[in-house]
Amino acid sequence: MNCMINSNKFGFLSLGLIGGSIALAIKQINKNIQIVAYARRQSTLDEALATGAIDIGTTEINELFSDCNMIFLCGPVSVNNQFLKQLKPFLSDKTIITDVGSVKGSIHQTVSQLGLDHQFIGGHPMAGSEKTGFANATSILLENAYYILTPTKTVSKEAVAAYHSLVKKMGAIPMILNSQEHDYVTAAISHVPHLVAAALANLVHDHDFAEGTMKMIAAGGFKDITRIASSSPDMWESICMSNTENIANLLDDYIHSLQSISTAVRTKKVGFTHDLFAASKEYRDSFSDLPRGPIDKVFACYVDIPDEAGAIASLATLLAKADISIKNIGIIHNRDFEEGVLRIEFYNQNSLKEAITLLKNLHYSIYQRK
């Protein structure tokens, strides 16, 4: 990044899941890069220092950031706007600033108000997890994930090219959009789905029997579709208050769609639901399995096992002997879609494929959801 004053120093404001993962990924690319980070809690900084993700930690935003070639703002959307105001007195004119927020309109507006357009490139790594905090950060979180860049009109092409190159080195897939395009796209594929998942989880909660029967037997499709409802309430409050117009407009369209479905079901309109599922299946089946989106992909399969003592332990031992790590394992208490009773989740696609091949060769019955 020859347009910057010190190619070996990066700054981070906040070290949660995404910020911590980017810091770890940068360190993996080049251990000689110095990273200085701000966090509200000293315990977070101590943890980051202990893992080697950062070199300097501070609980104050000060001159430690004045000679960084690039600074990542990694807090919630509204917090990042405040970070910018606090940073400005210490910023070099040659420092490139970016963020990792999933809403871009607000941060671009603040950048413009502060006269920082010439040194800002919005960033949004479209990867994540229901888990939060630096403790869950990993250097491979961004691999095969789209990473959207939203440069201002006045930032240098050299800076954009350098950021683009860094994203690729971290294993992500860079894409350039303007801030308006970004916010509309993410409202449709991330923000609205998270609200829908939360509403569906609460629908079942509100209609469950006193003894919790629905919760007890919830599995399969319901757990899959509501998984993202476990995301951070603070983060999603900030997103919904920032990308309001896009989210509200798309929600209105979705509500209209649900009303049409409700009417068709209530009146027993023959063919409506068949066409609905046929169209959705064709579109959903066309999605690529390669890049990860903003809703993290789950690498899981379902296995029929005999109802006998030691069956789960035997299967786990087989996978362990083949050096295949299991992320999670659990018994499914119903036969939704006729799938197996044991759900096994893996850390990546390769482990899933290796496990399926191994278990099929040993005559286990394996099922997958698309």
Side-chain angles (χ1 to χ4, degrees):
M1 296 184 178
N2 57 11
C3 58
M4 305 180 197
I5 56 176
N6 184 346
S7 61
N8 289 319
K9 188 172 183 182
F10 283 62
F12 282 78
L13 270 61
S14 191
L15 277 177
L17 174 71
I18 298 297
S21 295
I22 294 174
L24 286 166
I26 289 173
K27 278 291 190 181
Q28 194 169 67
I29 293 167
N30 184 351
K31 294 187 183 300
N32 293 323
I33 289 176
Q34 185 183 45
I35 293 181
V36 55
Y38 159 86
R40 287 187 300 112
R41 290 188 291 269
Q42 184 63 44
S43 58
T44 300
L45 297 171
D46 291 341
E47 187 177 2
L49 287 163
T51 61
I54 67 173
D55 303 287
I56 303 170
T58 177
T59 55
E60 296 181 359
I61 297 173
N62 54 31
E63 63 278 355
L64 283 171
F65 296 92
S66 62
D67 60 343
C68 290
N69 71 313
M70 192 169 190
I71 296 176
F72 289 80
L73 312 178
C74 303
V77 176
S78 58
V79 173
N80 286 339
N81 289 334
Q82 294 303 314
F83 281 160
L84 272 174
K85 296 171 184 177
Q86 293 173 269
L87 261 179
K88 188 175 180 182
F90 307 105
L91 278 175
S92 161
D93 193 51
K94 295 181 180 180
T95 299
I96 291 297
I97 313 159
T98 187
D99 73 319
V100 300
S102 66
V103 180
K104 286 288 163 277
S106 174
I107 192 80
H108 273 267
Q109 185 177 14
T110 302
V111 163
S112 183
Q113 291 170 349
L114 295 173
L116 298 173
D117 297 78
H118 64 290
Q119 55 191 120
F120 183 78
I121 304 170
H124 179 198
M126 302 185 76
S129 167
E130 297 82 49
K131 297 178 180 179
T132 59
F134 180 82
N136 296 295
T138 168
S139 63
I140 63 171
L141 184 72
L142 306 182
E143 287 186 3
N144 296 320
Y146 281 113
Y147 196 124
I148 298 179
L149 305 183
T150 60
T152 64
K153 293 180 180 179
T154 55
V155 72
S156 74
K157 292 180 180 179
E158 291 80 10
V160 176
Y163 195 0
H164 193 280
S165 175
L166 176 63
V167 168
K168 292 181 71 173
K169 288 177 181 177
M170 289 191 289
I173 304 167
M175 176 185 290
I176 296 178
L177 299 174
N178 65 46
S179 59
Q180 293 83 7
E181 291 171 333
H182 170 277
D183 286 357
Y184 186 66
V185 167
T186 53
I189 64 166
S190 178
H191 305 164
V192 168
H194 275 81
L195 288 168
V196 170
L200 183 57
N202 288 332
L203 175 74
V204 172
H205 170 271
D206 294 343
H207 290 78
D208 203 354
F209 302 134
E211 57 271 25
T213 305
M214 294 182 185
K215 178 182 178 181
M216 187 184 307
I217 65 174
F222 180 79
K223 288 187 75 173
D224 287 347
I225 200 171
T226 58
R227 178 174 57 86
I228 56 175
S230 297
S231 300
S232 165
D234 291 338
M235 179 181 74
W236 282 99
E237 169 77 3
S238 179
I239 288 170
C240 291
M241 294 301 100
S242 300
N243 200 18
T244 52
E245 195 69 19
N246 286 318
I247 292 172
N249 288 340
L250 286 163
L251 272 176
D252 287 345
D253 288 346
Y254 181 61
I255 291 167
H256 177 72
S257 172
L258 289 178
Q259 288 172 335
S260 298
I261 295 169
S262 176
T263 300
V265 170
R266 191 181 299 277
T267 60
K268 299 185 178 181
K269 186 176 180 180
V270 177
F272 183 93
T273 52
H274 177 277
D275 292 346
L276 174 74
F277 279 103
S280 65
K281 182 181 188 306
E282 181 180 1
Y283 182 62
R284 176 63 178 80
D285 289 352
S286 71
F287 290 5
S288 169
D289 276 338
L290 294 178
R292 286 161 48 194
I295 301 173
D296 203 23
K297 184 175 176 60
V298 174
F299 305 103
C301 65
Y302 299 78
V303 186
D304 274 327
I305 58 171
D307 185 12
E308 59 187 33
I312 296 177
S314 297
L315 189 149
T317 300
L318 287 170
L319 294 173
K321 286 183 176 179
D323 281 334
I324 301 173
S325 297
I326 297 173
K327 182 178 182 180
N328 202 357
I329 189 168
I331 297 172
I332 302 298
H333 293 287
N334 72 2
R335 287 302 185 96
D336 198 14
F337 302 117
E338 299 183 354
E339 290 176 341
V341 294
L342 191 67
R343 180 183 185 276
I344 312 174
E345 185 178 342
F346 303 90
Y347 286 96
N348 52 54
Q349 184 70 33
N350 287 339
S351 295
L352 173 61
K353 288 181 178 179
E354 289 174 11
I356 289 173
T357 300
L358 172 66
L359 295 176
K360 280 186 175 179
N361 287 339
L362 294 171
H363 308 295
Y364 281 91
S365 296
I366 310 293
Y367 308 89
Q368 280 185 276
R369 279 198 180 91
K370 292 184 177 180

